[in-house]
Short mmCIF file of all heavy atoms in Angstrom, two decimals:
data_model
loop_
_atom_site.label_atom_id
_atom_site.label_comp_id
_atom_site.label_asym_id
_atom_site.label_seq_id
_atom_site.Cartn_x
_atom_site.Cartn_y
_atom_site.Cartn_z
N PRO A 414 135.56 77.37 41.64
CA PRO A 414 135.11 78.69 41.16
C PRO A 414 134.11 78.53 40.03
O PRO A 414 134.15 77.59 39.25
CB PRO A 414 136.41 79.35 40.69
CG PRO A 414 137.34 78.21 40.40
CD PRO A 414 137.01 77.14 41.38
N ALA A 415 133.18 79.48 39.94
CA ALA A 415 132.17 79.44 38.88
C ALA A 415 132.82 79.71 37.52
O ALA A 415 133.80 80.45 37.41
CB ALA A 415 131.10 80.50 39.16
N LYS A 416 132.28 79.06 36.47
CA LYS A 416 132.80 79.24 35.13
C LYS A 416 132.42 80.61 34.60
O LYS A 416 131.30 81.07 34.80
CB LYS A 416 132.25 78.16 34.19
CG LYS A 416 132.73 76.76 34.57
CD LYS A 416 132.16 75.74 33.58
CE LYS A 416 132.65 74.33 33.93
NZ LYS A 416 132.11 73.33 32.98
N THR A 417 133.36 81.23 33.88
CA THR A 417 133.07 82.52 33.27
C THR A 417 132.45 82.30 31.89
O THR A 417 132.77 81.34 31.19
CB THR A 417 134.36 83.35 33.12
OG1 THR A 417 135.30 82.60 32.36
CG2 THR A 417 134.95 83.65 34.48
N VAL A 418 131.59 83.17 31.50
CA VAL A 418 130.88 83.08 30.22
C VAL A 418 131.28 84.25 29.35
O VAL A 418 131.19 85.41 29.79
CB VAL A 418 129.35 83.08 30.43
CG1 VAL A 418 128.64 82.96 29.09
CG2 VAL A 418 128.96 81.93 31.35
N GLY A 419 131.71 83.98 28.10
CA GLY A 419 132.09 85.05 27.19
C GLY A 419 130.91 85.84 26.71
O GLY A 419 129.76 85.41 26.80
N LYS A 420 131.22 87.03 26.09
CA LYS A 420 130.14 87.91 25.62
C LYS A 420 129.34 87.25 24.49
O LYS A 420 128.13 87.32 24.43
CB LYS A 420 130.72 89.23 25.13
CG LYS A 420 131.30 90.08 26.25
CD LYS A 420 131.80 91.40 25.73
CE LYS A 420 132.36 92.27 26.84
NZ LYS A 420 132.86 93.56 26.33
N LYS A 421 130.06 86.53 23.55
CA LYS A 421 129.38 85.92 22.42
C LYS A 421 128.45 84.81 22.90
O LYS A 421 127.30 84.70 22.45
CB LYS A 421 130.41 85.37 21.44
CG LYS A 421 129.79 84.80 20.17
CD LYS A 421 130.88 84.37 19.19
CE LYS A 421 130.25 83.81 17.90
NZ LYS A 421 131.30 83.37 16.93
N SER A 422 128.96 83.99 23.79
CA SER A 422 128.14 82.90 24.31
C SER A 422 126.92 83.44 25.04
O SER A 422 125.82 82.88 24.97
CB SER A 422 128.97 82.04 25.26
OG SER A 422 130.06 81.47 24.55
N ALA A 423 127.06 84.53 25.75
CA ALA A 423 125.94 85.13 26.49
C ALA A 423 124.87 85.61 25.54
O ALA A 423 123.67 85.46 25.78
CB ALA A 423 126.44 86.28 27.36
N LYS A 424 125.28 86.21 24.39
CA LYS A 424 124.32 86.70 23.41
C LYS A 424 123.54 85.55 22.80
O LYS A 424 122.32 85.62 22.60
CB LYS A 424 125.02 87.49 22.32
CG LYS A 424 125.54 88.85 22.77
CD LYS A 424 126.20 89.58 21.62
CE LYS A 424 126.70 90.95 22.06
NZ LYS A 424 127.35 91.68 20.95
N VAL A 425 124.22 84.45 22.46
CA VAL A 425 123.54 83.28 21.87
C VAL A 425 122.53 82.71 22.86
O VAL A 425 121.40 82.38 22.49
CB VAL A 425 124.59 82.21 21.48
CG1 VAL A 425 123.90 80.93 21.06
CG2 VAL A 425 125.47 82.73 20.35
N ALA A 426 122.93 82.59 24.12
CA ALA A 426 122.02 82.05 25.13
C ALA A 426 120.81 82.93 25.31
O ALA A 426 119.68 82.46 25.45
CB ALA A 426 122.77 81.90 26.45
#
Side-chain angles (χ1 to χ4, degrees):
K416 295 181 179 180
T417 56
V418 181
K420 292 183 179 179
K421 184 176 181 180
S422 298
K424 288 181 179 180
V425 172

